[in-house]
Amino acid sequence: MNISCLKNLDPSLQAMPNLDQVHALIQHYGPTVYFHPEETYLPSSVPWFFKNGALLYRFGKPGGEPINSTGSNLPSGGQNDGSYWIDLPQE
């Protein structure tokens, strides 16, 4: 389904859906995830993952450093040069 009005960034246009309509579209067409009742590995939020063990590793530097829960100390620049990666500590 192509809803071209959702690509428009001008909210003052009359054809733009209101927030309730956008939520209704998401509710109707958005994915639904079902988990097995005995599933032990449920998803977590990114801030939780950063606070609870994920480390930022840098190529050529031993060990990793903790990641700020907002991710503000992650490298930026929009390209993957393989110099950094996120992993769990090696124990």
Side-chain angles (χ1 to χ4, degrees):
M1 179 172 157
N2 187 5
I3 305 173
S4 58
C5 66
L6 293 180
K7 296 178 185 176
N8 192 335
L9 299 178
D10 184 2
S12 66
L13 294 176
Q14 300 232 341
M16 293 297 291
N18 63 34
L19 192 56
D20 289 335
Q21 291 169 324
V22 171
H23 284 282
L25 285 170
I26 292 169
Q27 182 72 25
H28 189 278
Y29 293 104
T32 302
V33 179
Y34 296 97
F35 293 100
H36 189 276
E38 296 176 19
E39 178 63 60
T40 57
Y41 301 104
L42 297 174
S44 65
S45 69
V46 171
W48 183 92
F49 182 66
F50 286 169
K51 280 197 261 184
N52 290 281
L55 297 176
L56 177 64
Y57 290 88
R58 183 175 183 173
F59 183 76
K61 186 176 178 184
E65 65 180 80
I67 302 171
N68 183 310
S69 65
T70 62
S72 62
N73 64 330
L74 293 173
S76 61
Q79 59 185 359
N80 183 2
D81 60 5
S83 297
Y84 295 90
W85 64 95
I86 297 173
D87 204 349
L88 295 174
Q90 303 292 322
E91 296 193 30

